[in-house]
Amino acid sequence: MHNKNSPATFWVFEFIFRVLPHLVLFAVLIWLWELAVGTGFITSIIIPRPSKIGGAIVELYITEGTIYRHFFITLTEAVVGFLIGATIAISLAVSSSLSETFKRYVIPYAIVLNVTPGIALTPVIIAWFGYGMGSKIALAAIISFFPIFVNTLTGLVQVDEDREELFQSLGATNYQVFRKFRVPAALPLMFAGLKIGLTTALIGAVVAEFAQATDGVGVLMSRFSFQLNMAASLATLMSMTTIGLILFYTMEFLDDRIVFWRRENRRAAASRARARAWKNQL
Amino acid sequence: MPDPTIAQSSTHDIVVSGQGVGKTFADGSVIALQDAHFNIKRGSFVSLVGPSGCGKSTLLRLISGLIPPTSGEIAVHGTPVTGPRADISMMFQKATLLDWRTAIENVLLPTEINGTPTKADKNRAFDLLKLVGLEDFAFSFPAQLSGGMQQRVALARLLQTGADILLLDEPFGALDEFTREHLNLELMRIVQEVGATAFFVTHNIAEAIFLADQVVVMTSRPGRMAKIVDVDLERPRPLSIQTSVEFNKLVEDVRETLGEM
């Protein structure tokens, strides 16, 4: 009988039952793909074999290393655009939650901005902000704005009559209700909005690069596609996926730490941390 | 019990009084409470019992100052109630704890609203958690506590306000029978220990009598105070008192009053 508490045994079982099936499935899919191209079922000009993509990856990421400059440019555009979009969205959501009048005037613009396909603004944005990073940052900011604005505002104006009555009975000021109750209560929804916003910011940056730019993974990818170098093009696409994953997990990490009270393991950790912090205060 | 009717007690002992208190909602078409008169002595435990719609929660909210009366006046410690005040504190059916605060931080909320908590305030919060039997859970978050424990935290928070008039709106109504009975005993002990005056809303007749010095029997449509029944049972009261003859006489009295309507 194996010892369930031994960490080594745990990881072996974890690998066999949870990781291995994924690896096998992935390997089979790649093998089928290789087979389909190899037998001529798919033309290799349209979709190259996985092994050719592998070769392009080695070239782009290791032997020549051309990808990194573009990678960091796109990453920067997405992050800076997101930060600008999020700052404006949160400021307007907070103001709208505090003033009914302000909200009435802001909402129509927010809706118009939302129903207009943000991507369609690309030519205009490039005309305004030029071929450089400015236009990419601007488009990323514009299309990340709405999900953050709407989610934050929804979080701030949600009604919890019981807790509001509690604060009222304690004689709390409006500012205290806002800071001690509304803001923390809005955090889960705000983070949901931030997660969507960060993903859309990356879309904005890449689409603007496709349209007109000199640097960035979008430029690199469309350049390879025009040369019908599909293997390199798809190898570049992988870097966008990587940027997306980095952004997504950074946000997940922050969400987990800041809105700690929703997950059992984070609650327990936070509880232990508070107990330590309080020890000298009692 | 020297004086069986509250009307006869000397005025300086009266902490809460109401003269012709009425409340109507929806442009006067719904009469939630009509012409209520009462004088409550310091340290009394008063139960408000009656069917839904009899205005017992409304009366509690009127005393708390959360809503103003349409007619009449309520006075606490001799001054009219015009809004929420420091000497009155309220507890609700739901624990209404803040999920992102530990138990002790929830207890400290009333102090934080009045200023920055001192070391003494923090020690008091911890002592109150001890009083409600939660000293081992001071740093737990609400989601880590059972429903009964959450209500204990809410009770500690209620006491942290330092108010001597406690308004309890079916505080254990959402809990199971056993937990509720247990918490009722605790509540009785704690209220006596801190010497507070308590108003306790319930629709359970036995519970109302078991806890109270006076039971205010209320009837509905329109909400009215039908009768005030004095409970002259000795304290401390064991749970077994509920099978005694005197207790059942009181139950009968309350039932009759409710049945008249």
Side-chain angles (χ1 to χ4, degrees), chain A residues 16-282:
Chain A
I16 291 175
F17 290 108
R18 300 202 38 194
V19 183
L20 201 58
H22 288 284
L23 293 178
V24 170
L25 176 67
F26 184 69
V28 167
L29 289 174
I30 295 291
W31 176 72
L32 283 175
W33 180 355
E34 187 85 38
L35 205 69
V37 183
T39 56
F41 185 69
I42 300 173
T43 319
S44 63
I45 295 175
I46 299 171
I47 300 179
R49 315 161 163 255
S51 52
K52 277 202 76 181
I53 298 175
I57 288 174
V58 171
E59 206 171 282
L60 273 175
Y61 293 80
I62 301 164
T63 52
E64 291 182 11
T66 27
I67 195 85
Y68 296 107
R69 199 171 64 85
H70 300 284
F71 182 92
F72 286 110
I73 284 172
T74 305
L75 180 65
T76 309
E77 289 163 355
V79 170
V80 174
F82 164 77
L83 290 176
I84 293 171
T87 308
I88 298 171
I90 292 172
S91 318
L92 289 183
V94 166
S95 312
S96 303
S97 81
L98 294 176
S99 156
E100 202 50 47
T101 316
F102 189 85
K103 187 166 119 188
R104 249 199 357 261
Y105 284 102
V106 163
I107 294 269
Y109 293 97
I111 289 173
V112 166
L113 184 65
N114 183 45
V115 297
T116 310
I119 301 300
L121 287 169
T122 315
V124 185
I125 296 290
I126 286 174
W128 286 344
F129 294 91
Y131 293 167
M133 289 172 80
S135 54
K136 284 73 198 174
I137 290 171
L139 195 65
I142 287 171
I143 71 169
S144 64
F145 167 83
F146 193 77
I148 304 172
F149 172 75
V150 163
N151 278 283
T152 307
L153 183 57
T154 308
L156 286 170
V157 300
Q158 62 190 338
V159 180
D160 180 344
E161 276 173 11
D162 299 318
R163 282 173 183 78
E164 259 145 55
E165 201 169 40
L166 166 78
F167 274 89
Q168 214 187 327
S169 78
L170 293 172
T173 61
N174 286 341
Y175 174 68
Q176 285 173 325
V177 176
F178 180 76
R179 199 166 61 86
K180 290 180 190 295
F181 173 58
R182 284 189 191 282
V183 169
L187 284 178
L189 264 174
M190 190 181 101
F191 267 94
L194 288 172
K195 276 186 219 172
I196 304 169
L198 193 51
T199 315
T200 54
L202 178 59
I203 296 174
V206 170
V207 167
E209 284 175 0
F210 283 156
Q212 199 65 262
T214 48
D215 304 286
V217 285
V219 175
L220 205 58
M221 192 173 164
S222 50
R223 200 178 291 159
F224 285 133
S225 293
F226 283 132
Q227 298 163 357
L228 282 180
N229 186 351
M230 288 306 173
S233 186
L234 289 173
T236 310
L237 176 68
M238 210 184 77
S239 67
M240 296 183 192
T241 309
T242 311
I243 295 175
L245 286 172
I246 292 172
L247 298 180
F248 179 78
Y249 281 107
T250 307
M251 215 58 211
E252 277 286 304
F253 177 81
L254 289 175
D255 185 20
D256 220 42
R257 299 290 143 148
I258 296 171
V259 196
F260 61 85
W261 58 91
R262 284 170 313 161
R263 293 200 184 94
E264 205 178 326
N265 58 334
R266 293 301 315 149
R267 267 200 305 264
S271 170
R272 285 191 296 275
R274 300 272 169 111
R276 278 195 301 278
W278 269 82
K279 273 290 170 286
N280 334 318
Q281 296 193 52
L282 288 173

Side-chain angles (χ1 to χ4, degrees), chain A residues 162-163 165-168 170 172 176 180-181 184-185 260-261 267-268 270-271 274-275 278 280-282, chain B residues 61 66 84 92 94 96-97 99-100 102 104-105 108 110 112-113 119 122-123 126 139 141 143-144 157 161:
Chain A
D162 299 318
R163 282 173 183 78
E165 201 169 40
L166 166 78
F167 274 89
Q168 214 187 327
L170 293 172
Q176 285 173 325
K180 290 180 190 295
F181 173 58
F260 61 85
W261 58 91
R267 267 200 305 264
S271 170
R274 300 272 169 111
W278 269 82
N280 334 318
Q281 296 193 52
L282 288 173
Chain B
R61 277 169 176 69
L66 280 173
F92 308 90
K94 292 184 190 153
T96 61
L97 301 178
D99 296 336
W100 47 88
T102 59
I104 194 163
E105 290 162 352
L108 275 167
E112 267 178 46
I113 282 169
K119 198 177 163 78
K122 290 173 182 174
N123 283 322
F126 192 73
F139 308 110
F141 289 95
Q144 297 175 302
R157 180 181 63 195
T161 61

Side-chain angles (χ1 to χ4, degrees), chain B residues 43-98:
Chain B
S44 312
F45 199 118
V46 181
S47 286
L48 307 170
V49 70
S52 24
C54 69
K56 49 195 195 301
S57 286
T58 302
L59 179 55
L60 221 58
R61 277 169 176 69
L62 288 168
I63 298 172
S64 76
L66 280 173
I67 53 173
T70 321
S71 59
E73 189 185 81
I74 293 174
V76 166
H77 292 306
T79 54
V81 175
T82 52
R85 40 195 275 179
D87 49 1
I88 308 170
S89 187
M90 190 153 174
M91 181 171 168
F92 308 90
Q93 183 170 358
K94 292 184 190 153
T96 61
L97 301 178
L98 304 180

